[in-house]
Amino acid sequence: MPNAFRVAPGGSLSGSIRVPGDKSISHRSIMLGALADGVTHVTGFLEGADAISTMNVFRALGVKIEGPESGRVVVHGVGRDGLRPSATPLDCGNAGTAMRLLIGLLSGQGFESTLIGDESLTNRPMRRVTDPLAQMGAKFETRDGKPPVRIHAATGLKGIDYQMPMASAQVKSAVLLAGLYAQGETSVSEPAPTRDHTERMLAGFGVQLVRNGATVSLQGGQRLKATDIDVPADISSAAFFLVGASIAQGSDLLLEHVGINPTRTGILDILKLMGADIELLNAREVGGEPVADLRVRSAPLRGIEVPRDLVPLAIDEFPVLFVAAACASGRTVVTGAEELRVKESDRIAVMADGLKALGVSALPTPDGMIIEGRHGPGPVFSGGQIDSHGDHRIAMAFAMASLRASASVLIRDTLNVATSFPGFDRLAARAGLQIELVDA
Ligand code: S3P
């Protein structure tokens, strides 16, 4: 399998494409489907390595799951107390969402589990979930707060009222999933809104939740009833094309059936503040999640100070937003984004290094970046080589930068693109990116 992208400079993006299914919703469809009474049918499932890791973990926990086949998955729920211990460690691969949500869900089970991951995941912090879960009565062993994570058999969790120190949907979800197994009420308050797919999907499975301002609560002991789930296209994957078409002159691209849950649309708001030309067409609701087709045409972008309240709503989109900023007139300043340092890579450091390698003035700060955009119709980036550090979103962000480069860009260590966006190179080529897979 070739492990690098070579992207020729220039070109534009056009036509009509559907990017793969939403990663956050795909993970949750397996988890909640497995815990439900009855059979859950999923369509539009992300057939990427991360969601497949979650699927394989639940198979190891005794759940029968059919597929994926053309985005279709059938989950034969075992009920809230039907999971069985796995004889082997549960491998979450590259997927932080899988591991953090599983830590919550498994800490309520009457058996022991061990969670492992790949090299990147093995270096990511897990105390943010084990700390509140320990307050609920769960017991863990970790390697100084990092995976592998051994979860002891639960001896009775109790509900807590947890004020999250950081805006994290993974932490919120882990505590809520443990709360299903806890005595009494579990409440989580967030310092800023984060994606609410867990809450929406739990409600779809018949669980009663109460949202009161920044706090969401549920009572332990509730059962889930199987339902059908239509997974929209992932706005985080669409983001690469929203930026690519914005920065490449002559582009006019339609992105079909994209999830536009308001806790995920920070990318649209930020790009619009920068002057992007994005139209929402045919807005509709599908299975509890809002969806639309997005038409994007190239437009001159301007640098902005990114409003801090939009940061958690666009947290996965910053790699490609930094590329947009490099193509904007004037300076872009991002603050309040320190969470980027603990993603699949340190996305502040790795993006700043890559931008500098392509001749852009990018100053990393502890919680963001200052980028001096280059105005005008000509190339913004030089050609060159980028090390993606195995981070899927870094690799795809720099692939889009090539649209405004003066020479070809070689992006190394791209195999993990398949964690969230299998077939990225083919779909991007169809839209007009001059991308080829190479060994490097
Ligand atoms: C996710 C939450 C976010 C996001 C990740 C997916 C989720 O992480 O970055 O890609 O599905 O809940 P945090 O909870 O760490 O912000």
Side-chain angles (χ1 to χ4, degrees):
M1 187 70 186
N3 60 358
F5 293 156
R6 183 181 295 120
V7 195
S12 60
L13 301 180
S14 62
S16 181
I17 59 173
R18 178 167 171 164
V19 301
D22 189 280
K23 184 149 73 73
S24 295
I25 298 176
S26 294
H27 282 303
R28 288 159 172 82
S29 71
I30 300 293
M31 295 180 183
L32 301 195
L35 295 182
D37 297 310
V39 178
T40 289
H41 294 263
V42 186
T43 51
F45 185 79
L46 169 64
E47 297 186 30
D50 273 14
I52 304 280
S53 293
T54 292
M55 194 177 248
N56 287 335
V57 165
F58 279 88
R59 285 183 173 134
L61 292 166
V63 182
K64 182 178 168 201
I65 304 173
E66 298 170 65
E69 212 184 288
S70 308
R72 287 177 190 279
V73 173
V74 181
V75 188
H76 296 260
V78 293
R80 51 165 275 133
D81 300 310
L83 296 178
R84 294 288 162 254
S86 165
T88 50
L90 301 164
D91 189 354
C92 299
N94 191 244
T97 304
M99 186 171 285
R100 296 213 179 100
L101 271 59
L102 275 161
I103 292 174
L105 196 160
L106 292 174
S107 64
Q109 310 297 321
F111 56 81
E112 181 181 306
S113 303
T114 299
L115 296 172
I116 58 172
D118 71 1
E119 194 190 328
S120 151
L121 184 52
T122 298
N123 283 303
R124 296 184 66 188
M126 295 296 146
R127 282 206 179 105
R128 52 181 57 206
V129 287
T130 56
D131 281 352
L133 295 168
Q135 289 176 28
M136 298 175 78
K139 292 206 171 54
F140 305 98
E141 281 160 54
T142 64
R143 195 182 46 87
D144 201 17
K146 294 180 173 167
V149 179
R150 193 164 139 224
I151 307 165
H152 291 218
T155 50
L157 302 185
K158 52 182 192 311
I160 53 167
D161 185 351
Y162 188 60
Q163 311 277 334
M164 278 197 295
M166 76 288 283
S168 165
Q170 293 176 353
V171 175
K172 173 176 64 175
S173 302
V175 174
L176 289 175
L177 291 173
L180 286 173
Y181 292 90
Q183 220 175 40
E185 187 178 78
T186 296
S187 297
V188 188
S189 303
E190 41 191 12
T194 66
R195 65 191 68 192
D196 64 357
H197 305 300
T198 300
E199 298 93 299
R200 284 175 187 252
M201 202 182 285
L202 279 170
F205 277 87
V207 171
Q208 308 277 325
L209 297 100
V210 179
R211 161 136 331 244
N212 188 357
T215 305
V216 54
S217 316
L218 57 73
Q219 289 290 337
Q222 299 188 59
R223 296 194 74 87
L224 284 71
K225 222 169 102 248
T227 184
D228 290 345
I229 295 169
D230 180 350
V231 183
D234 197 329
I235 191 167
S236 296
S237 296
F240 301 104
F241 292 92
L242 292 171
V243 169
S246 294
I247 63 174
Q249 259 187 18
S251 296
D252 185 351
L253 185 67
L254 189 74
L255 294 154
E256 299 162 9
H257 205 74
V258 180
I260 52 160
N261 177 314
T263 60
R264 297 287 299 282
T265 47
I267 174 77
L268 300 180
D269 297 327
I270 293 169
L271 284 175
K272 282 182 184 166
L273 286 173
M274 296 177 79
D277 178 358
I278 300 172
E279 250 183 293
L280 266 65
L281 305 169
N282 195 15
R284 55 210 182 265
E285 180 148 326
V286 178
E289 291 278 351
V291 166
D293 303 324
L294 306 181
R295 182 179 183 187
V296 52
R297 282 174 279 193
S298 37
L301 300 182
R302 53 183 174 271
I304 59 165
E305 284 192 17
V306 175
R308 286 171 82 104
D309 58 323
L310 291 179
V311 169
L313 309 180
I315 195 65
D316 290 339
E317 286 63 80
F318 279 94
V320 80
L321 275 170
F322 292 143
V323 168
C327 302
S329 58
R331 173 180 292 179
T332 292
V333 181
V334 176
T335 55
E338 60 278 358
E339 280 291 305
L340 294 177
R341 294 210 177 263
V342 289
K343 295 294 177 188
E344 286 83 330
S345 69
D346 176 342
R347 287 181 173 162
I348 292 175
V350 174
M351 281 305 299
D353 286 349
L355 289 169
K356 283 188 253 180
L358 298 185
V360 174
S361 161
L363 180 68
T365 63
D367 68 340
M369 188 130 47
I370 301 170
I371 295 174
E372 306 295 339
R374 287 208 187 157
H375 195 36
V380 169
F381 306 97
S382 65
Q385 300 196 5
I386 298 290
D387 182 353
S388 76
H389 289 255
D391 185 326
H392 54 137
R393 301 203 198 279
I394 304 277
M396 291 184 275
F398 280 110
M400 290 300 165
S402 313
L403 289 159
R404 294 292 298 279
S406 58
S408 81
V409 179
L410 180 75
I411 304 158
R412 295 182 193 277
D413 203 359
T414 54
L415 289 180
N416 278 340
V417 166
T419 60
S420 68
F421 203 145
F424 168 76
D425 57 300
R426 289 192 301 278
L427 199 65
R430 212 178 91 199
L433 197 71
Q434 303 171 72
I435 182 170
E436 55 176 331
L437 296 182
V438 294
D439 275 308

